[in-house]
Amino acid sequence: DRVLLVGTGTDPVTPRLLEDIGGRAGQDGANSTAERIEILWAGNEPDAAAHLAFGAALGQYRFLKYRTPAKDKPVTGEGEFVIRTPAGDAAARSFEAEWAPVPRAVTFARDLISEPGVEIYPESFVARTREAFAGLPNVRIDVLDVPAMEALGMGGILAVGRGSVRPPRLLVVRYDGGDGNEAPFAFVGKGITFDSGGISLKDEDGMWKMKYDMSGAAAAAATVLALAGRRAPVNAVGIAALAENMPSGSAGRPGDVVRTMSGKTFEVISTDAEGRMVLSDAVWYAQQQFRPRVVIDLATLTGSVRIALGDEYAGLFSRDDALAEALRKAGEASGEELWRLPLHPSYAKDLESPIADLRNSGGSGTGAGAGLGAYFIGSWVEESTPWAHLDIAGMAWREKEALPTVPEGASGFGIRLLDRYVRQSAP
């Protein structure tokens, strides 16, 4: 009944462009009552149609669990979505085997992030993850509870979770798709399922959104879900440092000194600098347990990175130039872009403590908030380990204007980026 011609411009047609075209069509489909929407692609390349479908799957996402359907309005987004291409079955096989697991993983992460904090807490995050991985081969899930973390001396995670009735957890998802002796990729995520700030209580402005403070953990687990789903020929581990940061009589206090799993200590200047506290134990555990080929942590860590980069780039910090460049290229190809920021040696002095090995914050008078947070986490990463820290605070939740493949709300940022990084590193 209706035909819309879409020009792709004069630049070379890239997978990212095709995904954006598919994403726009997917968004239109999600808001349409049409029984059938078709995209016609004249080229015979299987991957071209697969990338159109990839984008459409991302663009049509909506979180409607808590909305009551209006009786006087037709239901939208229920129609059939078809991509027609001369590549035919080859395109379908390419999509299902290589690309469809990625938007499925993004949907898993977006659903987790969109849920209220009363629904997603450390134990339920674990349960949802077990459900998502059920039936996938070569996957093992381990969970460390409070006694297990106490036995390992994980004071960082335990200190953050002390104020909540919801006990913290360390979730470890391992996928073995490569050679048994091959060191895994390690993805470590900040999983603060709700962040009130603890004793250093946040103000009310925007606190409702602090359910999204587990976006890094969701991305770490979902990246492994994507790799396992497409049977990637690699070994990978996703670690989610899960805690709820709440004020109470049992909560940790500013001025406390915390001893972490590594034996290193830090002085708590702000209980609202809790993401780096849980990651101090999680990145150390990743190194000691798995001796990975690379450690990449993801965290909605600082408001500072949002001030610096807005919602165009996530902050990238690394001591390894080759790793930083590989991640930058993967971000450019996937549409989840990164901007590298410095890890200046002077940050060490800003984090000096008179009574502990370092402080968890430079205090309100220190300007380089994103850099100090990254430097703190890097203090628990051995110099010989390739490591990158991604501060995704400005990218994990999309305000107002949607992107073709990212509707308003939870973005699931980092999964496409890391999947593309793995593809480029170990094709």
Side-chain angles (χ1 to χ4, degrees), residues 3 7 57 69 117 256 273 314 339:
V3 176
D256 286 354
W339 193 273

Side-chain angles (χ1 to χ4, degrees), residues 79-117:
E80 188 178 17
F81 202 100
V82 178
I83 296 176
R84 292 192 176 277
T85 168
D89 290 343
R93 288 193 298 270
S94 174
F95 176 63
E96 283 301 325
E98 282 296 317
W99 298 104
V102 182
R104 289 179 193 138
V106 173
T107 294
F108 163 69
R110 287 175 176 174
D111 284 349
L112 277 179
I113 299 162
S114 299
E115 286 277 11

Side-chain angles (χ1 to χ4, degrees), residues 28 82 231 335:
D28 288 343
V82 178
R231 310 296 196 265

